[in-house]
Amino acid sequence: MNWHEEENKVKIDILHSLARSQRALARIIESMADVVEGSEAAARNLSRHMEAVGRYQRQISVKAAGIRIRRLRHGSPGKAWLGEEVKKSVLRKRARA
């Protein structure tokens, strides 16, 4: 496996992990909602903790949104593009040599 394939695999693993974390958080919230139904203090405490977890997940999702999964291209690369000034200087150097 080349470097780009490995990089893409790691990025996809991060996204899968984030999705799994979101599902787990949803289950926790549903379970805890039943438990704290009678206690206002416990509900406030749970709310603070869930907000903190939500902030962490938002940061992860912001970072993950910037992840670009590259498409692999096979074949031979095209000719290098050079500006006109660079082409002229390269040709002059070759002519001198």
Side-chain angles (χ1 to χ4, degrees):
M1 187 178 294
N2 70 28
W3 186 83
H4 290 295
E5 289 172 339
E6 187 66 29
E7 180 184 24
N8 287 342
K9 184 180 180 301
V10 168
K11 289 176 182 181
I12 289 172
D13 286 345
I14 290 170
L15 294 175
H16 281 271
S17 177
L18 182 59
R20 192 171 48 250
S21 176
Q22 288 288 327
R23 287 190 299 271
L25 182 59
R27 284 193 307 270
I28 291 169
I29 290 172
E30 288 175 2
S31 298
M32 292 305 294
D34 294 334
V35 172
V36 299
E37 198 170 310
S39 171
E40 189 175 322
R44 271 196 305 274
N45 193 25
L46 174 65
S47 176
R48 279 197 309 270
H49 289 296
M50 290 298 108
E51 285 175 12
V53 171
R55 283 193 303 273
Y56 288 128
Q57 288 191 333
R58 271 191 296 282
Q59 287 301 314
I60 291 170
S61 65
V62 165
K63 299 291 183 187
I67 291 176
R68 184 174 147 242
I69 297 177
R70 299 180 186 150
R71 285 184 62 182
L72 294 178
R73 295 185 181 152
H74 298 283
S76 49
K79 210 166 65 168
W81 177 86
L82 297 174
E84 288 301 318
E85 292 299 315
V86 175
K87 282 182 188 177
K88 289 176 186 175
S89 69
V90 169
L91 291 174
R92 276 188 233 126
K93 287 179 183 176
R94 285 185 186 166
R96 290 181 196 154

